Each structure stands twice: as C-alpha cells, then as structure tokens.
Amino acid sequence: MEWRGLPVGGPRSFRHGSVSDMISPFSSLWPAEPSEGPKRKMQNLRLLLKPAAHLAVFVGSLIGIGWAAAHAQSAPAVNYLQRLPQDEIIYFLLPDRFENGDRANDRGGLKGGRLKTGYDPTDKAFYHGGDLKGVMKRLDYIQGLGATAVWLTPIFKNKPVQGPPGHESAGYHGYWITDFTRVDPHLGTDADFKKLVDDVHARNMKFYMDIVVNHTADVIQYRECPVSNIVNAGACPYRSRADYPYSRQGGVNGPPINDGFMGDAPQYQTAANFAKLVNPDYAYTPYVPKGEEHEKVPDWLNNPIYYHNRGNSTFENESSTMGDFGGLDDLYTENPRVVQGMIDIFDAWIDKYRIDGFRIDTEQHVNPEFWQKFIPAILARAKADGIPHFHVFGEVGMDDVDVAKNARHTRQDDIPYVLDYPFALAVRQTVAGSKGPDVLARLFADDVLYADGYQTAMGLPTFISNHDQGRFGYFVRQAFPHESDGDDMKRVILGYAMMFTLRGVPTVYYGDEQGFAGTGGDQAAREDMFPSKVALYNSEKLIGTTSTTAAGNFDRDHPIYRAIAEMARLRESHPALTRGRQIIRDYSDKPGLFAVSRIDPNTGREIVIAFNTSTAPLSVQVEVDPASRHFASLHGECAPAPSAPGSYHVNLAPLDYVVCAAGDDK
C-alpha cells in the first residue's frame, strides 16, 4: 500500500564461500531448464566432481536418491483450476517497474510535463514506463523461476499525480484509483490485460489481482482543511463519532441534520437506515473540486455521502477503519450501497477475465461487516464462473510478530487467508537478525489461532520482501553491515529456503532473485528490472552480482535465481512441502538450529528440514519418526539412515539448510 502524503519513514510507515558450496551434489539430478543450455550442464558436472568428502556422500546416498526420484510426485492437480491455494508459488511485481513492452503508453496518453502525465523515469516517485506488455514479454522468465501464479499491484486507472507543489508524486503503484472499471492507460489497455491473463492461463499458471475497497484517490476535499493536509496528516485530524455525531453539523453544538439516522453500528447497517443519511457535513464540510465532479468511475463514487469524511486516520481506535489513509478518500464501507457497489465492481472483473484470486489492500482498515458480505459474494461468483479455488488474502500490516492480530481477521472478517506478516518478521529477526529460531517455533505454535487452524495457515502467502517494508537483502545488510557479499547471499537464500519448505504459500518479490536489496522500504524497494534512470537505484550494490540496476536484470544464471528455481522444483515435486502437516522437531534460543518434519499427505512419510541460522557449523541429532529408516538427500548432505530409531544426525554448514526425504519398510 502506498501512503500518499506520508513521507517515507513517517509515523505510520511499515519500515520500522561460493553458492556452489551451498548446493547439494544431487541437485544436478534435477533437470535443467531447457533454455539454460551447456553452461548449466557444465555447472552440474562440476558439482558432481567435488572433492572426496562430497563424493563419498554422493555414493553412499545414490540408492536413496533413486528412491527419492521414484517417490517424487508432481503437483496433485495438473490443471491450474484444480490446484489448491497452497500448491502455488507466487511471483509478485509492480508492472510499472518490471518491463517496458510498449513505449507509446509511457505517458498514459496524456500531454504535458511530468506533473500532468506522471511520467518521469528519473524519479522513484513517478511512472517509469513498465506495462502489461512488458509482463507478457517476461512470462518465460517468471515461469522459469518456478512461479505458478502471478500477482500484480493494482492495474486500475489511477489519478496520475497527487500532492501540493513541491510534494507531488504519481500513482505508478496503482493504489490511487479513480476508475475501478478499466486498466490504467500507463499500463496498457483492457485488451492487453485480457491477453496477459489468457497468456498466464495458457501456461497453466494463475493470475492474482491486487484490489482496493478501503479508499479511492484523493479527490474529495474539506473546506476546513488547508491543501497541505495531503502531506501533513496532522493538518486535518480525525474527528470522532462522539465529538462529531452524525446528528449534528460540525459538532455536538451544531444544528440538527440527518434526522432519524441511527449511525453505523452493525445492527443499523441497513438500506433503510442509510437512506436517512443525506448530509455529509457532520465532521468536516466535504466538497468535490470543480472539474472533478465525475472523476471517479462508477459515478456513484463521486458522491461524498459514500465516504466517512472524518479526516486523517491515526490508525488507532475507530479511526483505523473510518479515517482517511494519508488523505485518500475513505469509503463508507458500512453503507449497504458501498458494499453492493464494490461487489458489483469486482464480480465484473472475475466475469470478464476469469482471474484466480484477489490480494486485498488495507484489509484491516475496513469494518468486519463489509467483509462478511463481500467475501461470500466474491467466492460465489468465482465458483459460478468455474473457478473453484479462488484465492483471497488480505493485507494486515504490522511491525511485530503478532499472530493473534493476523489470525483475528480470518475469524471476525471471514476472510479465507491473510498475508503472513508475522512469518516475514520472524525470518527477518532470525536470518537477518540476531534472535534465535525459537521465534519461528512460537510463530508456528500459534497457527491454531487461525480460523480452521493449520489448514488456514497452509494457505497463507508467506514472504520475506515486499513493496512496503522493503527487501530482505536490505535488512540483512542493516543487521550485518560488515558481512561479505557471499554471506549476504547465503542469508537471502536461507530466508527463501524457509519460505519454500515451511508451511504457507511462498511469494517471491520481483528482483530479489536478481540480488536487489534496496536502500529502505516503500519507494526505495521498488527498483526497475529494465534499465533504470533513477540515480538512487543505480547506486545500489546488488547481491551476488557486479551488475547494477542501470542494466536490465533478467539473468537466469544469477545464483539467487538458480537457488530459488531449485527450491521451486523441490517444492512442486513433493506434496509434503505443499500440503503436508508440519511438526517442529528442534530449535535453539540463539542463532543456530531450526528443524521440522513435513508429512506427506498421501504416504505419511516425512521430509526432515533443518536450517542453521548461525555462522558456525552444526553437528546435531534431530528427532524423527521411528518408522523412518532410510533417508535420501533432496538438498544438502543427508545421512542415509538414522543414528538410532527416532534420532537422525544432521551436519549443517553455516547459514545453510538440508532437506532429507525419509523412506520406510512398510
């Protein structure tokens, strides 16, 4: 979510050896991507010719690998429509920053300078020219990474530029919507969008849309507030329902208005009651500036009566769901007309394009009653359109590992899934920090708090980088400023290994696979994948490469790209890693061991996964199922058999992990 009007880092922002040595000698047995050619084959050969220590493990486990290959299973459902949400691997991108496929739409069909068109490829706060055709052009690259679903930030038409003189920025990110029914011309046309979705489906992949129901672009103004409230939230403070009731104009001592309106408590959220709300002047005096009376589409969105109009949110108490988000017009989502209007808007996108899921922006800032109506309606429409596993997940932003807060929304809002912010923060604290992996153990122990418990937890999209908080590489560098580039890369790969092998739906933030680290959160983590003209981006030192963002970065030979692609193949080949129950086996209260078993839902066999978050090697015993008698290496060095029934020996290099598949004699 973009905080318009709040400076980066402001009070409510969310920021608060060689790679081959890390890769199992058995990884060469995985088929290389067809497009990778002789170079990959030579790399695989070098891995097989590693020193005797590795070779001994290879020979000792060859029979086990044969077992693993025989028992590896493809994804449970071949057709994308039949795959469950937890089967997916999501690739998340901002189309404006990904690839420029059509330079003719860089200015969105508008004329004038950057304050009219929003286009300035040298400024991180403006449009850079990426578009839907660019995404189409790079689908091979995305699929080659192992992604099975593509998630784009909102593609709806946005207000090109907002902000008073000296504080302008553009809607390149997609969260300042004026027209909810069409594609932003900077990104292409509705026809381009249809072709993109069709192309994704033709690859047996899914397409997820990022949607917004909490607010629109900033069009409505308040006569009592200076224009500067756009960048200064304190200039137009939130006015509560107690101090500014709906029944009085401008406060408790004002003249009576809205006779008979009973307010917006859940029992009064009826069309009959809201028909009595006719005057929006209870807290401020809202108005639509001349020339913008029909700026929003559908046209009902232009009426101030359908907005809260109470000033800027403090993100506390009632203002969290009723205040303007940094000046953005906050929709009155308690009003049945707004509820039905939003259902109609997003039903139409499902009908027309057969998309496969919604990521819901600012979900926590909308009242629960809205979601209790909206979610069932959307899922019913998707099912009627032949989309049985429509994936809906909401954004519940946080700065602490607060599973209860995250889980609350799956219960009170009836939303199927939420983004797993607690996971991202826990991995940051352990792999990009100095805390022990007991943080992760507590995180997973709280999976019982979600509606339907672990079944819901398996469908939570997990991530370690995003467009608001920043990139994992940035947090690594902040925590370990004197660490080598090689160790930075090991930490990034280890963080992604956790995401791909532990419960949840792994979500790769575009550019991480090319070593993008960013210089902070928000705009500082939204670099261009195509050659950038932003000086800040081009000064950034990337991880695992000598390249910079001044060049295009779609290198399939980048070591992080290769590592993620290996993880994706591993995950897709083993149902235990997608749908399998997770058992915590062991963990440390300081940097060190974190071990789990994932249980194959079809065979009951376990896959043991162990991580070392410390910079020292580990040699430990890990509890396993006593029935597990043989092990094969899926990644790293795995002993071929337990030390004793129920106890398995694991050797871990610093900042490394192993994945060991068990067999039995049943």
Side-chain angles (χ1 to χ4, degrees):
M1 168 61 202
E2 174 78 10
W3 280 263
R4 187 183 69 68
L6 292 182
V8 175
R12 295 306 307 180
S13 77
F14 281 156
R15 126 187 76 260
H16 323 167
S18 72
V19 173
S20 63
D21 291 329
M22 302 176 61
I23 300 176
S24 164
F26 311 134
S27 63
S28 59
L29 295 177
W30 292 107
E33 293 294 322
S35 61
E36 290 173 343
K39 184 175 181 180
R40 175 61 185 268
K41 293 178 181 177
M42 288 301 297
Q43 290 173 332
N44 289 342
L45 181 60
R46 284 196 294 271
L47 289 173
L48 288 173
L49 298 177
K50 292 179 79 68
H54 271 330
L55 191 57
V57 175
F58 173 74
V59 173
S61 298
L62 191 57
I63 295 176
I65 274 293
W67 176 92
H71 287 77
Q73 301 179 40
S74 59
V78 174
N79 184 276
Y80 72 92
L81 287 170
Q82 300 307 316
R83 293 200 305 261
L84 297 180
Q86 54 263 42
D87 295 336
E88 308 304 334
I89 297 168
I90 304 171
Y91 189 79
F92 170 44
L93 63 92
L94 282 74
D96 178 66
R97 303 298 167 88
F98 192 63
E99 177 65 290
N100 193 337
D102 185 357
R103 297 192 179 279
N105 61 30
D106 287 357
R107 292 171 174 78
L110 303 171
K111 296 182 179 180
R114 72 177 202 153
L115 298 184
K116 294 292 185 182
T117 67
Y119 176 70
D120 182 352
T122 68
D123 191 323
K124 62 182 173 60
F126 282 73
Y127 286 96
H128 290 179
D131 50 36
L132 301 179
K133 287 183 178 178
V135 179
M136 288 183 236
K137 178 181 176 182
R138 297 296 183 177
L139 287 177
D140 271 342
Y141 169 89
I142 295 171
Q143 193 166 32
L145 186 65
T148 63
V150 184
W151 158 24
L152 271 60
T153 49
I155 50 78
F156 314 102
K157 185 177 184 295
N158 269 229
K159 193 170 188 178
V161 178
Q162 294 188 154
H167 297 278
E168 302 93 345
S169 61
Y172 69 92
H173 42 72
Y175 295 105
W176 302 345
I177 303 168
T178 55
D179 188 341
F180 285 80
T181 68
R182 59 176 291 205
V183 170
D184 191 304
H186 291 86
L187 304 181
T189 65
D190 290 0
D192 291 337
F193 184 70
K194 185 177 190 311
K195 186 175 189 311
L196 172 59
V197 177
D198 289 348
D199 285 357
V200 167
H201 286 163
R203 292 171 176 270
N204 204 29
M205 300 169 71
K206 292 183 180 179
F207 189 94
Y208 293 165
M209 289 183 72
D210 203 320
I211 69 169
V212 186
V213 304
N214 177 64
H215 57 265
T216 70
D218 180 37
V219 175
I220 297 171
Q221 304 298 315
Y222 305 140
R223 298 199 183 278
E224 295 83 356
C225 296
V227 175
S228 63
N229 86 87
I230 294 174
V231 293
N232 181 3
C236 196
Y238 184 79
R239 292 182 171 179
S240 71
R241 289 177 292 186
D243 291 330
Y244 294 86
Y246 297 107
S247 58
R248 294 290 186 270
Q249 183 175 7
V252 293
N253 296 319
I257 57 173
N258 300 319
D259 183 42
F261 180 61
M262 299 299 291
D264 46 37
Q267 66 269 32
Y268 299 128
Q269 291 175 20
T270 65
N273 181 49
F274 271 87
K276 299 171 184 176
L277 180 67
V278 295
N279 188 335
D281 299 345
Y282 36 83
Y284 287 99
T285 309
Y287 70 97
V288 177
K290 187 175 181 180
E292 296 186 273
E293 294 88 352
H294 299 284
E295 181 75 7
K296 299 177 187 178
V297 180
D299 195 58
W300 63 266
L301 288 166
N302 294 294
N303 190 340
I305 205 69
Y306 296 125
Y307 297 82
H308 285 122
N309 303 312
R310 289 190 172 276
N312 286 316
S313 178
T314 66
F315 302 95
E316 301 292 342
N317 300 318
E318 71 176 57
S319 84
S320 180
T321 57
M322 293 193 163
D324 294 343
F325 205 103
L328 299 169
D329 299 347
D330 198 71
L331 279 156
Y332 205 150
T333 47
E334 293 80 2
N335 189 325
R337 176 67 182 90
V338 175
V339 176
Q340 190 57 51
M342 284 294 162
I343 290 172
D344 292 343
I345 286 169
F346 294 111
D347 272 358
W349 284 91
I350 298 173
D351 282 345
K352 187 173 182 180
Y353 299 103
R354 296 301 196 270
I355 53 179
D356 305 289
F358 286 156
R359 178 269 191 181
I360 302 175
D361 181 67
T362 55
E363 191 274 340
Q364 65 184 315
H365 299 298
V366 176
N367 58 299
E369 299 79 24
F370 175 92
W371 299 122
Q372 291 162 11
K373 298 179 179 67
F374 181 86
I375 297 297
I378 290 299
L379 293 177
R381 179 54 59 99
K383 187 174 182 180
D385 285 342
I387 309 166
H389 303 300
F390 197 81
H391 197 182
V392 180
F393 50 99
E395 177 199 27
V396 182
M398 62 187 69
D399 297 312
D400 299 309
V401 182
D402 190 347
V403 176
K405 178 182 177 181
N406 219 33
R408 184 184 313 137
H409 292 271
T410 67
R411 291 183 176 274
Q412 71 177 13
D413 299 350
D414 290 342
I415 191 164
Y417 305 101
V418 285
L419 282 165
D420 201 345
Y421 268 87
F423 176 90
L425 293 164
V427 176
R428 184 189 308 170
Q429 290 176 8
T430 55
V431 181
S434 58
K435 290 190 176 182
D438 56 322
V439 174
L440 289 161
R442 290 193 297 273
L443 166 82
F444 294 126
D446 283 341
D447 282 349
V448 296
L449 299 178
Y450 291 99
D452 296 325
Y454 187 68
Q455 286 301 119
T456 293
M458 280 199 296
L460 304 179
T462 52
F463 66 96
I464 58 175
S465 301
N466 76 1
H467 60 322
D468 287 329
Q469 291 193 330
R471 294 187 182 275
F472 195 70
Y474 169 75
F475 298 115
V476 166
R477 286 179 169 171
Q478 287 293 103
F480 306 100
H482 304 299
E483 198 168 63
S484 70
D485 180 70
D487 281 346
D488 287 347
M489 183 163 57
K490 287 179 182 179
R491 289 186 187 274
V492 171
I493 291 173
L494 186 61
Y496 267 100
M498 287 183 172
M499 196 174 75
F500 270 80
T501 58
L502 299 174
R503 70 99 182 101
V505 183
T507 304
V508 179
Y509 183 45
Y510 86 101
D512 271 18
E513 76 280 5
Q514 295 297 323
F516 287 16
T519 55
D522 200 76
Q523 295 175 1
R526 301 173 182 178
E527 304 97 319
D528 302 309
M529 289 281 279
F530 57 98
S532 182
K533 298 180 180 179
V534 177
L536 175 67
Y537 295 162
N538 294 343
S539 67
E540 174 188 330
K541 186 180 185 300
L542 306 187
I543 296 173
T545 179
T546 58
S547 182
T548 73
T549 59
N553 283 277
F554 294 95
D555 180 12
R556 297 194 190 199
D557 285 328
H558 192 290
I560 300 178
Y561 183 101
R562 286 193 175 281
I564 292 175
E566 178 198 354
M567 296 171 199
R569 289 193 291 269
L570 184 64
R571 177 182 171 84
E572 198 170 27
S573 299
H574 295 276
L577 301 180
T578 56
R579 304 184 185 186
R581 181 167 56 94
Q582 179 172 287
I583 302 171
I584 305 298
R585 292 299 192 187
D586 203 352
Y587 55 87
S588 173
D589 61 358
K590 58 183 180 296
L593 177 68
F594 183 68
V596 306
S597 289
R598 300 292 304 275
I599 308 303
D600 190 301
N602 302 316
T603 67
R605 296 186 176 96
E606 68 182 319
I607 292 179
V608 177
I609 309 157
F611 308 90
N612 181 5
T613 67
S614 77
T615 55
L618 290 178
S619 180
V620 295
Q621 295 296 134
V622 173
E623 181 185 4
V624 295
D625 187 335
S628 297
R629 302 180 185 180
H630 308 289
F631 284 88
S633 172
L634 302 183
H635 178 92
E637 298 182 12
C638 295
S643 306
S647 181
Y648 185 66
H649 187 76
V650 173
N651 287 312
L652 283 165
L655 303 174
D656 202 357
Y657 71 103
V658 295
V659 184
C660 307
D664 60 33
D665 295 334
K666 291 179 181 177

